[in-house]
Amino acid sequence: MHSQLNGKRIALFGASGGIGNALCRYILSLGGALITVDRNPKKSAALVQTLRAEFPQGQITPLLADLEELSQVKKLCEELITLDVDMLIHNAGAYSIPRRKCDTGLDNVFQINFFSPYYITRQLLPYLENKGGRIVAVGSIAHTYSKTDPEDVDFSTRKQANLAYGNAKRYLMYALHSLMAEHPGVHFALTHPGITFTNITAHYPKWLFAIIKHPMKVIFMPAKTAALCILEGLFRDTPPYRWIGPSVFHVWGKPRCSALRSAAQEEICRIDRTARELYDKIKI
């Protein structure tokens, strides 16, 4: 399939989720040294225990960080540098959760899905550039649900979970593409898993979810298969404004690199400018 990862130290955010769980096993089976980054200590401990039983020779280092808390994100950046990380996989995400303002003043869905991954990337870029590291971002087809709004950057006034999540992913995808174009010394891939059955898709009312969960398992790819698109990003760069995802309607099939045409250049420039302004303001 692919060449081995040869002991590369790979930090996987959202390791205990459906996609993350599958990625852990792919990384360890290919010889990667895995750094799991999760919010929930119980889930993290259970995952690491299971992985160590399955891969007794594997190198696994668990870290805890809540991406809603900037102080924890800053500490995490220091820990990743200390661990001499080679690759980052921005896989953590939150969809239908209770909304609140974070310590940054940003909506928590926006902070988890966009700002914290962007902040971590900016903080580690000089370090990764020195060693030819790699960043893999996990986008979503949900980014097409709406265009960004300069009057409501974090969509804090929108109550619909799909809009808040889609807006955050739109920022993540385009802001990182613009940023990484300035840093050719760091490998970059934008990926997405299509639609798969994970905790994020289990946000419907219980009665509705009970009806649709079995058809969803049949219709859409399982997490283990969908994760192959993100895994591809560990070995393949994406040119500006392209992404790797399922080949058939962005939902099924083998990983394929295709064009990202969901935003005009004016919006892309505004996203990039807004992301930089937020980072500079919050960093200070």
Side-chain angles (χ1 to χ4, degrees):
M1 178 185 170
H2 286 300
S3 60
Q4 296 295 305
L5 290 171
N6 298 322
K8 292 289 186 182
R9 289 164 291 277
I10 303 166
L12 173 59
F13 298 83
S16 62
I19 294 287
N21 204 295
L23 283 170
C24 286
R25 288 166 169 81
Y26 285 131
I27 290 168
L28 289 169
S29 66
L30 291 170
L34 177 65
I35 303 169
T36 64
V37 184
D38 281 300
R39 178 185 65 86
N40 188 306
K42 290 184 178 180
K43 288 184 177 181
S44 175
L47 171 66
V48 171
Q49 182 179 14
T50 300
L51 291 175
R52 284 176 174 161
E54 291 182 26
F55 301 91
Q57 305 302 318
Q59 299 180 52
I60 307 168
T61 304
L63 296 179
L64 294 174
D66 187 341
L67 299 186
E68 289 191 37
E69 303 294 336
L70 189 63
S71 60
Q72 295 187 35
V73 171
K74 289 180 176 179
K75 180 184 176 184
L76 175 63
C77 292
E78 296 171 359
E79 290 175 321
L80 290 173
I81 292 174
T82 300
L83 289 170
D84 197 24
V85 68
D86 296 294
M87 303 180 182
L88 308 177
I89 305 178
H90 289 305
N91 173 66
Y95 190 99
S96 183
I97 61 174
R99 306 280 290 281
R100 73 174 186 89
K101 286 288 184 180
C102 297
D103 52 357
T104 57
L106 297 172
D107 180 86
N108 58 342
V109 170
F110 189 77
Q111 179 150 326
I112 293 168
N113 292 290
F114 162 64
F115 185 74
S116 286
Y118 183 82
Y119 182 93
I120 292 165
T121 299
R122 291 287 300 266
Q123 289 290 300
L124 269 66
L125 262 179
Y127 169 78
L128 290 173
E129 201 150 24
N130 286 335
K131 63 187 311 184
R134 175 176 292 275
I135 294 171
V136 178
V138 180
S140 171
I141 57 177
H143 84 280
T144 61
Y145 292 167
S146 65
K147 291 185 177 180
T148 55
D149 181 356
E151 302 301 320
D152 186 17
V153 169
D154 60 356
F155 270 34
S156 58
T157 67
R158 270 75 162 185
K159 303 305 180 185
Q160 301 99 313
N162 63 328
L163 297 183
Y165 178 75
N167 175 65
K169 284 295 187 179
R170 196 172 182 89
Y171 264 92
L172 178 73
M173 292 163 57
Y174 282 107
L176 284 185
H177 255 310
S178 298
L179 175 66
M180 298 309 298
E182 300 176 1
H183 297 272
V186 180
H187 297 279
F188 174 69
L190 176 63
T191 66
H192 77 98
I195 302 175
T196 187
F197 189 78
T198 66
N199 289 338
I200 282 185
T201 52
H203 62 273
Y204 300 99
K206 290 183 178 180
W207 66 269
L208 178 58
F209 184 65
I211 296 172
I212 67 174
K213 66 179 181 179
H214 295 297
M216 286 180 71
K217 287 181 179 180
V218 173
I219 295 171
F220 300 119
M221 295 191 299
K224 184 178 180 180
T225 304
L228 291 173
C229 294
I230 290 86
L231 183 68
E232 184 80 9
L234 289 177
F235 301 93
R236 179 181 182 182
D237 297 354
T238 50
Y241 310 114
R242 296 183 71 85
W243 63 345
I244 298 169
S247 56
V248 182
F249 302 118
H250 299 299
V251 176
W252 304 280
K254 296 180 180 180
R256 183 186 71 173
C257 188
S258 59
L260 187 61
R261 300 192 181 96
S262 49
Q265 192 60 42
E266 180 183 0
E267 185 186 9
I268 294 171
C269 291
R270 176 164 48 77
I271 288 172
D272 178 45
R273 183 172 62 252
T274 302
R276 292 170 191 266
E277 290 173 352
L278 285 173
Y279 174 78
D280 290 339
K281 177 183 177 181
I282 293 172
K283 182 183 67 170
I284 295 172

